[in-house]
């Protein structure tokens, strides 16, 4: 599972740093290629010579090599790695990660990381329990970092409690589980819609909504990371397509165009996730030229129904296909979501409410409840949309 994987191993300055040598050795034995990045304080607990001997690579600690002035590029490390693992992560390092205090090579590498990040905390029990540490851990989780919880036991202070870094073999198991999950959509084809639709009034005006497309794009990226072949049908958004060869983007403007693109691509997909905020209505007449206000006191726009993409696809759903819809509600949230789930023949519906200040349109975070056609109701806490995407995919793959 780890053969050929590129892993950045970050080591910060705690007594548990001695375990990092065992962790490094296990990763190398599993076939991983590991680059160690260590903080200045980390070198007080374990020597770079030991780590370099085990990894077969020079250890990176400083921004520049003192004798030659050679620059160590944290950006290049972020692009090279498939995963970053920080073990041990002290309270100091966790605080710097949470608040972007880029004063050493480990933190700058973390801030440049394009890959997922695992964090294995290690500290005394009172430091672990302190509200500032717990707030930082919550913030890092919300941003999508994976926390490998510390264990209870005898600590360096002589006290007994929670704060011991997880054992290296268990961390390796977590890493292998991560990479196994990353292939959970291999050989699967996924159709995803994202963003708003714009319904033209004239050549310069339209009826639309506030959707940014962030949720749909996060889902597309998560599916691509897991090995899926993704067709991403997007309304007009400012987002660029995630840089994955297995994402094909189709750009549309109106609900009718999105409907046509979905119909064309529907049948050969295993999973359909309809995250777009599609306009329910469109003007029945589009002016050929810009409508002028002169001489017109009031303007009346007559709207007609757009095709219902979810209902159309739901009525044609093939055996084995999984269909997921979204419901953004302002009132009677659960009741309205259940009606949509059943009426449109969906397997799952993702409910979020505009009553949640940090959820919904144009936000980087979301708070959802997933509801299945079998009556399961699974609520989630407020999280980054990138992490919400993981929760959605995990749920539809594991819950039956």
């Amino acid at each position: 599972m780890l053969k050929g994987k590129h892993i950045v191993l970050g080591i910060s300055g705690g007594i548990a740093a001695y375990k990092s040598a065992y962790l490094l050795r296990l990763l190398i034995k599993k076939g991983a290629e590991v680059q160690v990045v260590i903080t200045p304080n980390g070198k007080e607990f374990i020597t770079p010579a030991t780590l370099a001997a085990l990894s077969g690579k020079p250890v990176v600690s400083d921004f520049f090599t003192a004798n030659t002035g050679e620059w160590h590029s944290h950006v290049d490390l972020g692009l090279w790695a498939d995963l970053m693992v920080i073990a041990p992560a002290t309270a100091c390092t966790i605080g710097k990660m949470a608040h972007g205090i880029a004063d050493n090579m480990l933190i700058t590498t973390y801030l440049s990381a394009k890959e997922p990040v695992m964090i294995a905390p290690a500290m005394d029990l009172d430091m672990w329990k302190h509200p500032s540490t717990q707030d930082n851990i919550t913030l890092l989780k919300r941003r999508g970092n994976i926390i490998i919880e510390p264990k209870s036991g005898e600590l360096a202070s002589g006290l007994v409690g929670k704060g011991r870094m997880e054992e290296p073999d268990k961390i390796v198991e977590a890493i292998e589980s991560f990479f196994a999950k990353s292939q959970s959509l291999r050989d699967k084809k996924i159709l995803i819609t994202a963003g708003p639709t714009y319904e033209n009034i004239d050549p310069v005006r339209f009826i639309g909504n506030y959707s940014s497309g962030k949720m749909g794009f996060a889902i597309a990226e998560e599916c691509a990371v897991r090995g899926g072949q993704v067709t991403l049908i997007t309304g007009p958004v400012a987002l660029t397509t995630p840089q994955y060869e297995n994402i094909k983007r189709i750009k549309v403007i109106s609900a009718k165009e999105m409907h046509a693109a979905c119909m064309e691509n529907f049948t050969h997909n295993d999973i359909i996730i309809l995250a777009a905020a599609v306009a329910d209505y469109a003007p029945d007449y589009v002016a050929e030229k810009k409508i002028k206000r002169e001489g017109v006191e009031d303007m009346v726009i007559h709207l007609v129904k757009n095709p219902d993409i979810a209902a159309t696809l739901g009525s044609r759903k093939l055996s084995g296909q999984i269909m997921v819809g979204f419901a953004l509600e302002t009132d009677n949230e659960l009741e309205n979501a259940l009606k949509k789930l059943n009426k449109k023949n969906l397997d799952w519906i993702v409910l979020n409410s505009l009553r949640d200040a940090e959820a919904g349109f144009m936000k980087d975070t979301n708070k959802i409840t997933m509801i299945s056609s079998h009556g399961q109701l699974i609520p989630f806490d407020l999280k980054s949309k990138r992490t919400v995407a993981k929760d959605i995919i995990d749920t539809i793959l594991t819950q039956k």
Side-chain angles (χ1 to χ4, degrees):
M1 186 59 67
L2 300 187
K3 186 174 179 59
K5 297 297 184 185
H6 293 172
I7 297 174
V8 169
L9 175 59
I11 302 173
S12 58
I15 188 62
Y18 79 89
K19 293 184 179 180
S20 300
Y22 294 95
L23 174 58
L24 174 57
R25 185 170 180 271
L26 289 173
L27 292 172
I28 295 295
K29 287 183 69 176
K30 293 279 187 177
E33 189 175 342
V34 184
Q35 175 62 63
V36 175
V37 181
I38 191 169
T39 66
N41 284 338
K43 291 187 289 185
E44 299 296 324
F45 292 91
I46 187 168
T47 68
T50 298
L51 299 167
L54 291 170
S55 68
K57 291 178 177 293
V59 171
V60 175
S61 178
D62 302 311
F63 296 108
F64 299 92
T65 300
N67 294 333
T68 65
E70 178 187 1
W71 177 48
H72 298 138
S73 174
H74 52 89
V75 175
D76 288 346
L77 285 173
L79 295 172
W80 171 81
D82 299 305
L83 179 68
M84 184 174 188
V85 181
I86 302 176
T90 61
C92 178
T93 290
I94 288 169
K96 289 179 179 181
M97 293 167 66
H99 299 285
I101 302 173
D103 66 348
N104 63 53
M105 190 66 182
L106 175 55
I107 303 300
T108 57
T109 302
Y110 165 73
L111 294 176
S112 300
K114 300 294 188 293
E115 69 278 5
V117 179
M118 286 185 169
I119 304 166
M123 63 197 74
D124 205 60
L125 75 164
D126 292 318
M127 296 176 72
W128 172 252
K129 290 190 298 185
H130 196 279
S132 62
T133 302
Q134 289 305 306
D135 286 349
N136 289 333
I137 289 290
T138 298
L139 184 57
L140 291 172
K141 284 181 179 179
R142 188 177 296 169
R143 291 175 181 165
N145 297 275
I146 302 164
I147 307 297
I148 302 174
E149 289 281 324
K151 297 301 179 183
S152 294
E154 186 175 351
L155 305 170
S157 64
L159 299 175
V160 176
K162 188 171 184 178
R164 287 177 60 91
M165 188 179 92
E166 180 60 278
E167 295 303 317
D169 60 327
K170 296 298 183 182
I171 296 175
V172 171
E173 286 180 12
I175 294 170
E176 289 182 317
S177 177
F178 164 80
F179 281 115
K181 183 184 291 186
S182 73
Q183 297 302 307
S184 59
L185 289 176
R186 182 179 288 278
D187 301 324
K188 297 292 184 182
K189 295 180 179 179
I190 305 98
L191 174 67
I192 299 167
T193 65
T197 63
Y198 288 174
E199 312 303 327
N200 287 342
I201 297 170
D202 64 18
V204 297
R205 301 181 182 92
F206 61 86
I207 295 172
N209 58 61
Y210 293 113
S211 174
S212 63
K214 290 179 180 179
M215 190 70 255
F217 272 65
I219 295 169
E221 184 171 356
E222 180 64 21
C223 290
V225 166
R226 297 183 186 221
Q229 295 296 318
V230 179
T231 300
L232 176 61
I233 302 174
T234 73
V237 297
L239 302 173
T240 56
T241 307
Q243 297 301 306
Y244 294 93
E245 293 181 355
N246 49 338
I247 297 180
K248 172 188 174 184
R249 181 173 177 179
I250 300 173
K251 297 180 181 180
V252 299
I253 301 294
S254 68
K256 289 182 179 178
E257 290 176 355
M258 185 170 284
H259 179 269
C262 286
M263 292 300 294
E264 183 178 346
N265 291 276
F266 170 67
T267 56
H268 59 270
N269 280 280
D270 304 292
I271 301 171
I272 298 91
I273 302 175
L274 304 175
V278 183
D280 293 323
Y281 295 89
D284 67 343
Y285 170 75
V286 179
E288 293 182 0
K289 297 181 179 179
K290 180 182 176 182
I291 300 170
K292 300 292 186 178
R293 63 182 293 171
E294 289 79 10
V296 179
E297 289 299 321
D298 297 301
M299 183 171 66
V300 177
I301 301 173
H302 183 252
L303 302 177
V304 295
K305 278 188 176 182
N306 273 323
D308 189 326
I309 296 173
T312 303
L313 299 185
S315 68
R316 303 185 183 198
K317 185 170 64 174
L318 304 174
S319 176
Q321 280 185 323
I322 298 173
M323 279 193 61
V324 182
F326 274 68
L328 176 61
E329 302 293 340
T330 59
D331 59 281
N332 300 320
E333 289 93 338
L334 184 57
E335 179 184 350
N336 289 332
L338 286 169
K339 285 181 180 178
K340 186 173 182 179
L341 173 74
N342 296 320
K343 183 178 180 181
K344 302 188 180 186
N345 194 28
L346 303 173
D347 297 287
W348 289 92
I349 195 158
V350 180
L351 169 64
N352 54 298
S353 171
L354 283 179
R355 297 189 193 190
D356 294 312
E358 296 304 316
F361 290 150
M362 297 193 295
K363 305 291 186 181
D364 291 323
T365 53
N366 208 356
K367 183 179 180 182
I368 67 167
T369 298
M370 292 193 65
I371 308 166
S372 79
S373 58
H374 300 298
Q376 294 168 287
L377 194 148
I378 308 172
F380 294 90
D381 294 330
L382 181 73
K383 301 179 182 181
S384 71
K385 286 185 174 177
R386 187 72 181 84
T387 307
V388 171
K390 294 179 183 179
D391 289 338
I392 291 170
I393 301 304
D394 283 344
T395 301
I396 65 177
L397 292 180
T398 60
Q399 302 294 322
K400 303 299 182 182

